[in-house]
Amino acid sequence: MEVIPAIDLLDGKCVRLYQGDYNQSQVFNDDPVAVARQWADQGATRLHLVDLDGAKVGHPVNLAAIRSIVEAVDIPVEVGGGLRDRDAVAALLSTGVRWAILGTVAVEKPELVAQLCGEFPEQIIVGIDARNGKVATKGWLETSEVLATDLAERMAQLGAAAIIYTDIQRDGTMQGPNLASLRDLASISAIPVIASGGVSSLTDLLSLLALEPQGVTGAIVGKALYTGDVSLTEAVRAVGQGRWQDIPPDFGSSAFA
């Protein structure tokens, strides 16, 4: 399972929001490029970037910072926030970003998702952000009547490469992921599901690992990395490629050898 550090961009800075509330933001670093390098050096295999300004206004805002991050690290980057039309997605991918994450348009313009999946195969991820099981849009400022499970099934049919599922009520709270909702979503989705929101400890990541057979292939971790509650290096060792339980023990000269 991939452990994917989150870098949320607001006014060009690395921040975290509490339950998606723009009025409850905490700045962790003024230099998101330095943060990206730090996570790459500690073993991250990809980065998750969110253009919070873009999500709010409906078009990418932090492209310069995103481009700088892509150029600074040798691992793939996925980006969401404000991607509401074809030109915005094309401009983002032209910076070297590996995956574009679509949110609001998945609800409002599914035909656009289908078009983009065809034009940019394996580069379109759909972000499903849910509040009480219903999909939120426009930077979490509005809640639709669309069920997250229904949207996941539809997006898989349209050719999305993966789904990122965020439980808004867990995001930034350090209360642990919503395992029941993730299990329901993964059981319906025919494509990989990446968990987001609430991870606060290695125990949370290990609990997510139990859902890997159902198709939960990664976990985005944000606040817990910045507060030090989760060590990225230890997290990668615990649940990532070559995790502890997959490595045969070295008994040396032990009688058990």
Side-chain angles (χ1 to χ4, degrees):
M1 177 175 287
E2 278 192 292
V3 181
I4 309 168
I7 299 176
D8 290 0
L9 300 168
L10 188 66
D11 296 327
K13 300 175 182 178
C14 176
V15 309
R16 292 300 293 167
L17 303 184
Y18 181 83
Q19 294 185 345
D21 187 346
Y22 283 75
N23 294 318
Q24 297 189 64
S25 65
Q26 180 179 0
V27 177
F28 281 105
N29 199 304
D30 290 338
D31 185 356
V33 173
V35 175
R37 288 197 181 107
Q38 175 186 334
W39 299 142
D41 290 344
Q42 292 181 19
T45 52
R46 78 159 93 174
L47 295 175
H48 175 82
L49 273 57
V50 179
D51 184 344
L52 291 173
D53 299 289
K56 192 172 185 177
V57 302
H59 58 82
V61 173
N62 288 287
L63 277 180
I66 291 166
R67 183 180 292 105
S68 296
I69 289 171
V70 170
E71 293 173 351
V73 297
D74 293 325
I75 55 176
V77 174
E78 62 190 27
V79 178
L83 300 174
R84 310 278 170 86
D85 57 48
R86 185 263 172 201
D87 289 346
V89 171
L92 177 69
L93 293 176
S94 71
T95 67
V97 166
R98 177 74 62 85
W99 299 282
I101 304 167
L102 305 181
T104 297
V105 296
V107 175
E108 298 182 351
K109 300 177 182 178
E111 68 283 357
L112 177 60
V113 177
Q115 173 193 334
L116 292 169
C117 287
E119 185 175 355
F120 305 105
E122 299 303 315
Q123 288 190 279
I124 303 299
I125 292 175
V126 172
I128 298 180
D129 305 331
R131 186 182 282 116
N132 296 320
K134 294 183 178 180
V135 180
T137 61
K138 295 181 172 63
W140 299 356
L141 299 176
E142 297 181 14
T143 303
S144 72
E145 291 301 312
V146 178
L147 294 177
T149 48
D150 291 346
L151 186 61
E153 187 173 22
R154 177 65 173 143
M155 292 303 107
Q157 294 170 349
L158 294 182
I163 287 168
I164 295 174
Y165 178 75
T166 303
D167 187 306
I168 295 172
Q169 290 167 298
R170 300 294 182 101
D171 189 71
T173 66
M174 307 276 283
Q175 293 179 358
N178 188 330
L179 298 177
S181 294
L182 279 164
R183 187 180 293 109
D184 290 344
L185 198 81
S187 67
I188 288 173
S189 174
I191 55 179
V193 174
I194 299 169
S196 175
V199 172
S200 64
S201 65
L202 280 181
T203 301
D204 288 339
L205 288 170
L206 290 168
S207 70
L208 286 170
L209 192 60
L211 299 181
E212 193 175 31
Q214 280 77 50
V216 179
T217 61
I220 294 168
V221 187
K223 186 175 181 179
L225 290 176
Y226 294 94
T227 59
D229 288 273
V230 171
S231 159
L232 180 59
T233 303
E234 290 181 2
V236 171
R237 287 174 181 166
V239 302
Q241 187 175 12
R243 54 186 179 248
W244 288 320
Q245 60 265 48
D246 292 341
I247 302 174
D250 181 6
F251 291 113
S253 57
S254 166
F256 294 102

